Amino acid sequence: MKVSIYTTCMMDLMFPQVGKDMVEVLERLGCTVDVPENQICCGQPTFNSGYVEASWPVMHNQIDALSSIDCDYIVCPAGSCTAILKEYPDLLVDDPTDPTGQYMAQAKILSAKVYEFSQFIWRVLGIADCGAELNTIATYHRSCHMTRLLGERETPFWLLENVKNLEVRQLEGIQYCCGFGGTFSVKEHEISELMVTSKVENIEATGAEVLVSCDPGCLMNIGGRFNRLGKPIKIMHIAEVLNHNVDESRIRKVSEVPAPAAAPFP
Amino acid sequence: MGLKTSTLPFTERIADAAKDQFAHASIAKAQDTQYTKRENARAELGHWQDWRKLGQSIRQHVIQYLPDYLEEFSDNVEKRGGHVFFAQTTDEANDFILNVIKQQNGHHVVKSKSMVTAELDIDKKLQALPDVSILETDLAEFILQEDDWDEPSHIVFPAIHKNRDQVQTIFKKLGYDGDNDPEHMARFARKYLRQRFLEADIGITGCNFAIADSGLINLDTNEGNADLADSIPKTQIVVMGMERLVPSMKEAEIMDNLLARSAVGQKLTTYVTFEGQQSAGESDGPEDFYVVILDNNRSKALGTEFQEILQCIRCGACLNVCPVYRQIGGHGYGSLYPGPVGAVLSPILGGYEQFGELPFASSLCAACTETCPVLIPLHNLLIKHREVETDRLKMMHGFTDFQMRVVGKGTSSPFMFKMALRFKHFGLSPWTHQRPVTATNFFEYNGAMITNGPGMVGGWTDVRDLPSPPKHRDDFRVWFKHHKQQGGETK
């Protein structure tokens, strides 16, 4: 199975380890992985800030880049960026700079191929246990865009459930945004501060040592606030968890494990 | 104050909200309580997503044929002997209402809760009349009135920012000498209000839905005060937004279901009233029935990308799920309509000059869109407002605007992005300092942190640390190239 990595600008700029872990997990599960060279960013920073005219070239570049390599699936380490690529066909309806509709046509293909990392493992590869082990107490932060725009509420919880020696504690107020919101965190930092502080308090209350999420943006926000407050936490993207102390003999398919429990706040 | 509820600048309002621990705790508690009640009430109905679609289609249909339904409704009100006045502006509406009160020789006005009358700021106009008394009879609005006309901070729970101790203090001024038990305080208010109802000669109410094919109005309340306001006084003045119509009772029943479950987590509100001009042989209801239908820039949304906001039924569910509302409360928004719906509606009603900040006061988490019972894509409409302000009206200027355009260039040109990858570590080094790392793993690039970054990074580092970006040789792309050269397989 040929998989293209949709790197996201944030992973490229800030969190290379996430990409490495993602590639290693996917290759271990039998995928042939490649990285389209010219990809940059999904366009959310400008689009969501109202700079819509400036966003069309960003999306066009991303469409060209991701279409440049033949693949079966596109896999992304961020729920938010996955969701926006899925929405490209809806957004490009208003694009005046695509008169022939060539970008729209490509966007529809890409949109059907893209998956967020955890949902790709569970729903496409059909893998429930990646063979990982992590001896700690963790809590999971659910990102808003992955949950509400992409509609994925379950796969991270299900995969974490199968990580050996990992205890996942439920996070109070899991439905509330951490205050990242892309440029919101910068432009409206007074409000963002109140939101992220409240998130830090809820995470602390779980007693977890590790915070896991599927969105690097949220992790950078929450982790940055933890560090500013001088409070201890270990920040892990789910790819890092699933690539931790792996014993390949423990890898199990979805059909080989008991049916998972419902995720919180369905 | 009308639509605008504060003269303070946005950042000061946020700072005030951050300081108000009482309000903060009250709002958080109310949101959490409502969460359970609302979700249970919706689950109980079953097929919630289908109900939402039904609600959306009813509302969209009405908005699409709004002129026809307005005509049908006003014809039917007049057929029953009532009067309809179409007000383009709040001034026109206020003049009409004051005139009716004068003509009817009214002296004691009782009001039930209504957002549109708050939009008119009619209370203040009535207070200015020497021989007219005005009383808000919704318990929460009554509390605000007695607290020297404090501004409401929620469209369904106007006094959500007050706790029971604050209410007790307010009631003491009226002679209440009991404890802070809500039941005792409500009983006191009930007794106080009842006497005033009996003296009232004018009742002013809002309108949840106007029924086009019958000329009746539909009111949903839990306190019964609206029913007293429309049945005791001789004259009733209904004030409604021009979009609040449904074709018939059949649709009203559906909308009432959506509204009650979304607004207060109940199957239906305690009182679901359909009323209008008293007909021959009826024993109650107003002898003189006036309906004021207010535009106040609502029609500006018709035929635009913002038309869907007119579907809103003012249930307030989007406020109750909003993480920004949770932090800054209604007063932080500085608009009578706070929360996600307010951030979309206020700039339409009051203009971008007054409310241009509000569409940006959202992390676009989409909790609002997810909960809206009539499927308004609220977070997308916020982006549309941003687009109008940025691309169309060119309201963004200065350094931030310049930086956003740089971001646009940097994220569309592979060459520039490669340069950024190459120089990001070095480029930020003047702002990078050694600093203790407590948030480990993501933040271990030599323990170096950016704590007061330049430009937009400064907005980030005002609140949180930013890890120093990795050196180019540690980038994912560099690693992957090497990994592939080595055969590209992981075991």
Side-chain angles (χ1 to χ4, degrees):
Chain A
M1 190 180 290
K2 278 197 248 177
V3 171
S4 276
I5 302 288
Y6 167 12
T7 57
T8 76
C9 57
M10 187 168 284
M11 190 267 270
D12 273 327
L13 287 166
M14 301 299 288
F15 304 118
Q17 191 57 43
V18 172
K20 298 171 197 173
D21 286 313
M22 191 164 73
V23 168
E24 289 181 1
V25 170
L26 292 173
E27 286 181 344
R28 188 177 299 122
L29 298 176
C31 302
T32 307
V33 177
D34 209 344
V35 179
E37 167 88 10
N38 281 341
Q39 61 175 314
I40 304 174
C41 168
C42 62
Q44 283 195 85
T46 44
F47 188 88
N48 288 351
S49 308
Y51 291 81
V52 172
E53 285 165 14
S55 305
W56 303 127
V58 184
M59 294 188 201
H60 290 182
N61 174 74
Q62 198 70 352
I63 291 169
D64 282 337
L66 293 177
S67 308
S68 69
I69 293 182
D70 179 45
C71 68
D72 302 310
Y73 294 98
I74 297 167
V75 179
C76 177
S80 177
C81 312
T82 310
I84 198 88
L85 186 58
K86 278 232 179 282
E87 278 184 18
Y88 266 18
D90 299 327
L91 303 180
L92 290 166
V93 167
D94 298 325
D95 178 5
T97 62
D98 181 25
T100 61
Q102 55 158 331
Y103 286 108
M104 175 63 99
Q106 284 300 326
K108 283 180 181 164
I109 297 169
L110 298 176
S111 146
K113 280 187 186 179
V114 69
Y115 284 85
E116 180 279 328
F117 177 68
S118 74
Q119 61 175 185
F120 178 75
I121 292 177
W122 188 283
R123 298 190 192 279
V124 180
L125 298 179
I127 298 294
D129 188 337
C130 294
E133 186 268 351
L134 185 63
N135 188 4
T136 191
I137 300 164
T139 191
Y140 179 79
H141 166 70
R142 187 182 242 173
S143 93
C144 303
H145 285 184
M146 176 145 159
T147 312
R148 304 200 179 98
L149 304 188
L150 189 59
E152 182 55 77
R153 290 150 198 273
E154 290 154 337
T155 53
F157 290 99
W158 292 348
L159 287 168
L160 291 176
E161 212 171 275
N162 289 315
V163 173
K164 195 180 167 188
N165 293 334
L166 181 65
E167 181 192 339
V168 180
R169 290 191 184 161
Q170 189 164 328
L171 178 59
E172 196 63 37
I174 191 171
Q175 72 272 34
Y176 292 111
C177 173
C178 69
F180 175 58
T183 53
F184 169 82
S185 59
V186 172
K187 187 171 161 51
E188 307 291 341
H189 54 88
E190 297 94 345
I191 304 173
S192 178
E193 176 176 355
L194 298 169
M195 292 161 77
V196 70
T197 304
S198 159
K199 186 59 75 183
V200 166
E201 285 164 7
N202 283 333
I203 293 165
E204 276 192 299
T206 65
E209 292 163 352
V210 174
L211 174 69
V212 184
S213 182
C214 291
D215 270 78
C218 309
L219 286 174
M220 189 163 91
N221 179 44
I222 302 168
R225 185 64 184 165
F226 261 98
N227 211 73
R228 175 59 54 93
L229 296 172
K231 295 180 173 192
I233 192 77
K234 184 171 183 184
I235 303 292
M236 288 182 93
H237 185 273
I238 194 161
E240 297 176 272
V241 177
L242 299 181
N243 198 32
H244 194 268
N245 275 353
V246 174
D247 174 353
E248 286 193 46
S249 68
R250 283 204 307 267
I251 294 177
R252 290 282 177 279
K253 288 185 187 153
V254 170
S255 54
E256 293 167 339
V257 299
F265 287 102
Chain B
M1 277 183 79
L3 189 58
K4 195 164 175 60
T5 59
S6 170
T7 50
L8 293 175
F10 188 51
T11 45
E12 280 181 40
R13 297 200 305 266
I14 307 297
D16 283 351
K19 272 183 278 179
D20 193 343
Q21 296 294 326
F22 277 125
H24 195 264
S26 303
I27 291 166
K29 188 166 173 234
Q31 279 195 329
D32 294 340
T33 311
Q34 278 304 316
Y35 198 100
T36 319
K37 283 181 77 179
R38 182 181 59 247
E39 295 311 313
N40 288 345
R42 287 169 169 184
E44 192 184 50
L45 185 64
H47 305 284
W48 177 246
Q49 297 308 327
D50 294 334
W51 282 98
R52 295 174 82 195
K53 281 182 203 149
L54 191 56
Q56 177 196 35
S57 66
I58 292 169
R59 294 296 296 144
Q60 283 189 343
H61 169 84
V62 168
I63 303 302
Q64 194 175 353
Y65 298 100
L66 195 54
D68 304 85
Y69 281 117
L70 283 168
E71 191 179 348
E72 187 185 356
F73 173 69
S74 62
D75 284 354
N76 283 323
V77 170
E78 280 165 7
K79 257 186 227 164
R80 302 178 78 97
H83 309 275
V84 175
F85 179 73
F86 285 93
Q88 185 89 46
T89 63
T90 54
D91 283 346
E92 284 178 20
N94 281 327
D95 289 348
F96 178 82
I97 294 167
L98 295 182
N99 217 17
V100 168
I101 294 171
K102 206 167 139 195
Q103 271 177 15
Q104 297 287 340
N105 198 23
H107 295 291
H108 300 290
V109 179
V110 285
K111 274 188 67 201
S112 70
K113 185 178 144 22
S114 143
M115 291 308 295
V116 184
T117 58
E119 209 176 307
L120 298 179
D121 204 13
I122 187 76
D123 288 341
K124 197 153 289 158
K125 306 282 187 298
L126 293 171
Q127 280 171 268
L129 300 179
D131 53 350
V132 173
S133 74
I134 161 73
L135 185 70
E136 290 284 355
T137 64
D138 172 84
L139 181 55
E141 295 281 3
F142 173 61
I143 291 166
L144 296 181
Q145 172 173 1
E146 296 307 330
D147 191 23
D148 197 19
W149 297 96
D150 189 14
E151 294 292 342
S153 68
H154 190 290
I155 63 179
V156 175
F157 314 109
I160 194 172
H161 56 288
K162 294 212 187 302
N163 64 20
R164 57 171 78 179
D165 297 322
Q166 290 166 307
V167 175
Q168 186 190 16
T169 310
I170 294 162
F171 279 7
K172 271 186 180 157
K173 291 191 289 185
L174 298 172
Y176 177 69
D177 57 4
D179 58 13
N180 68 355
D181 185 323
E183 212 169 295
H184 298 159
M185 294 194 285
R187 185 164 298 138
F188 168 79
R190 185 174 191 268
K191 204 172 159 198
Y192 182 92
L193 294 169
R194 187 55 60 106
Q195 191 51 41
R196 309 283 290 273
F197 270 122
L198 295 172
E199 295 162 5
D201 43 28
I202 305 273
I204 298 180
T205 72
C207 164
N208 288 102
F209 300 104
I211 320 290
D213 75 348
S214 64
L216 297 178
I217 65 148
N218 174 198
L219 285 166
D220 299 312
T221 73
N222 271 332
E223 297 170 21
N225 62 314
D227 302 82
L228 293 175
D230 67 43
S231 56
I232 295 175
K234 180 172 162 290
T235 303
Q236 182 189 359
I237 304 169
V238 177
V239 188
M240 60 178 273
M242 64 182 282
E243 78 287 8
R244 301 302 294 267
L245 291 140
V246 285
S248 73
M249 292 274 196
K250 261 194 331 201
E251 290 81 12
E253 187 207 340
I254 294 161
M255 299 318 299
D256 283 345
N257 251 290
L258 291 170
L259 179 61
R261 286 169 205 269
S262 301
V264 283
Q266 297 169 211
K267 286 180 194 169
L268 283 175
T269 49
T270 312
Y271 300 89
V272 179
T273 306
F274 296 87
E275 58 99 16
Q277 170 84 30
Q278 191 182 117
S279 307
E282 282 181 354
S283 60
D284 61 2
E287 290 166 38
D288 304 294
F289 182 73
Y290 296 87
V291 182
V292 179
I293 301 177
L294 179 71
D295 181 336
N296 195 28
N297 291 331
R298 284 167 174 75
S299 57
K300 271 193 186 167
L302 284 172
T304 72
E305 63 265 60
F306 299 110
Q307 180 163 310
E308 283 163 299
I309 198 62
L310 298 179
Q311 287 163 221
C312 176
I313 57 172
R314 305 288 190 273
C315 71
C318 60
L319 280 65
N320 296 340
V321 299
C322 178
V324 172
Y325 181 87
R326 187 181 183 87
Q327 299 300 337
I328 70 172
H331 293 170
Y333 287 84
S335 167
L336 188 59
Y337 297 105
V341 61
V344 177
L345 191 61
S346 308
I348 295 169
L349 301 185
Y352 289 104
E353 282 303 321
Q354 281 198 85
F355 296 111
E357 299 117 333
L358 297 191
F360 290 93
S362 163
S363 63
L364 304 177
C365 81
C368 46
T369 302
E370 184 184 50
T371 202
C372 178
V374 291
L375 291 171
I376 302 171
L378 286 154
H379 76 283
N380 284 332
L381 295 182
L382 291 173
I383 299 177
K384 296 271 182 209
H385 270 311
R386 295 177 185 186
E387 181 185 356
V388 171
E389 292 185 54
T390 303
D391 282 353
R392 223 175 298 165
L393 299 177
K394 313 279 181 215
M395 286 171 73
M396 303 296 150
H397 303 286
F399 194 46
T400 309
D401 182 62
F402 170 75
Q403 286 176 316
M404 283 312 297
R405 296 190 186 283
V406 170
V407 169
K409 290 269 181 279
T411 50
S412 60
S413 153
F415 173 76
M416 281 181 63
F417 188 64
K418 276 169 199 166
M419 288 296 113
L421 284 177
R422 205 167 276 278
F423 294 113
K424 63 186 182 310
H425 177 81
F426 176 73
L428 283 167
S429 59
W431 293 276
T432 305
H433 310 284
Q434 290 297 314
R435 187 173 158 84
V437 175
T438 61
T440 56
N441 196 38
F442 258 24
F443 298 90
E444 283 178 318
Y445 308 123
N446 311 318
M449 291 284 169
I450 299 156
T451 52
N452 57 341
M456 286 173 76
V457 180
W460 179 274
T461 54
D462 276 352
V463 177
R464 12 172 151 57
D465 290 343
L466 181 72
S468 167
K471 288 179 179 149
H472 183 52
R473 63 162 191 259
D474 297 326
D475 278 350
F476 169 68
R477 307 279 187 118
V478 176
W479 173 84
F480 187 76
K481 254 183 202 145
H482 184 69
H483 174 74
K484 236 183 144 185
Q485 280 160 6
Q486 305 237 315
E489 270 185 42
T490 303
K491 279 292 165 196

